[in-house]
Amino acid sequence: MKKLFIVFSLLLITTSCFRKPDLESARKTKMEIIDPERHYYPILRGSELTAEFKIYNRGNEPLIIYDVQASCGCIELDFPTGSIGKDDFGFIVLDYDSAKNIGYVEFFVTILANTEKDVFTTVKFDLNVVTSPHYTQDYEEIYLERRKAKLAGEVDGDLTQQGYYIDEERTVR
C-alpha cells in the first residue's frame, strides 16, 4: 500500500510540474510579433498558403501561449505548447486553404497569452483569391478530389457514404 501511495504521489508531482499555470496566476511578460498585419499577393483558388508569425518574448518572465484561434475554419494552426524564455522566440504557423473562398478575404488570428497589457493579441492577414482563366472548379469539386486523395481506397462504396458507418440493427424508442 505504501509503494502504491509513493508511486501515485511521484506521478502527481511530475505531472503537475509540466502543466501550464493558470492565466490569472501566471506572471505577465511582453510579446513582440514581427509583421502582425500582412497583405499577401493574390493566389489561385484551391491553392494553399502558409504564413509564419515570429513571436519574441521581450519581458523578464516566460511567455506562455495558452490558445490560438482563427476567424475561419479554413486555417489550420500550429503554435508553441511550451514556454518561450526571455529574448527567445517561437513561431505560430498558419496553413490557409483557399478552396472555399474567392475574391478579397481577411482573417484574424487571436492569441491568448500571459501578456502585460491585454491577454488577447490579434494578428491579421488578407489576400485576394483569384480563379484560373482556363477552368474554375467549384469548391465541391476541389473538396471531393482532396477527400479521395486522403481516403485513398480506405473505404469502399459511394463517396457520400465514406467516413462513417451504420449499424444493421435499428433501435426504436
Side-chain angles (χ1 to χ4, degrees):
M1 188 68 179
K2 281 187 178 182
K3 289 181 182 179
L4 183 63
F5 179 72
I6 292 171
V7 169
F8 182 71
S9 298
L10 287 174
L11 183 65
L12 184 65
I13 291 171
T14 55
T15 56
S16 65
C17 292
F18 297 113
R19 284 190 300 182
K20 294 178 183 178
D22 290 335
L23 184 60
E24 294 81 27
S25 64
R27 295 182 184 158
K28 305 299 182 191
T29 190
K30 294 178 183 178
M31 177 173 61
E32 178 188 3
I33 301 172
I34 304 300
D35 302 329
E37 190 170 323
R38 300 177 182 184
H39 310 285
Y40 284 97
Y41 294 108
I43 62 171
L44 282 176
R45 182 179 190 192
S47 301
E48 294 182 2
L49 173 77
T50 299
E52 291 184 353
F53 288 89
K54 194 172 189 178
I55 296 175
Y56 282 96
N57 180 1
R58 296 298 187 204
N60 294 323
E61 300 297 330
L63 174 64
I64 303 170
I65 298 175
Y66 289 89
D67 196 15
V68 178
Q69 293 289 319
S71 63
C72 179
C74 55
I75 298 174
E76 292 182 17
L77 300 163
D78 185 30
F79 60 93
T81 55
S83 62
I84 300 172
K86 179 181 178 182
D87 294 326
D88 202 3
F89 62 89
F91 291 95
I92 293 179
V93 181
L94 312 173
D95 291 320
Y96 165 64
D97 183 4
S98 67
K100 292 188 177 184
N101 298 113
I102 193 164
Y104 177 77
V105 289
E106 181 177 50
F107 301 105
F108 296 91
V109 178
T110 304
I111 304 164
L112 179 63
N114 62 327
T115 50
E116 286 179 352
K117 292 184 180 179
D118 191 5
V119 294
F120 295 104
T121 306
T122 303
V123 296
K124 173 194 155 196
F125 73 96
D126 59 34
L127 67 142
N128 276 301
V129 179
V130 296
T131 59
S132 170
H134 302 292
Y135 173 73
T136 303
Q137 290 179 314
D138 65 358
Y139 71 90
E140 291 172 351
E141 290 174 312
I142 296 170
Y143 174 74
L144 288 176
E145 283 180 9
R146 290 185 182 168
R147 188 165 180 197
K148 281 182 187 177
K150 284 182 182 177
L151 292 176
E154 290 180 16
V155 178
D156 293 330
D158 184 17
L159 272 178
T160 59
Q161 298 297 319
Q162 291 183 358
Y164 69 93
Y165 68 94
I166 57 173
D167 293 328
E168 294 298 322
E169 298 177 16
R170 291 187 176 197
T171 305
V172 179
R173 295 181 186 192

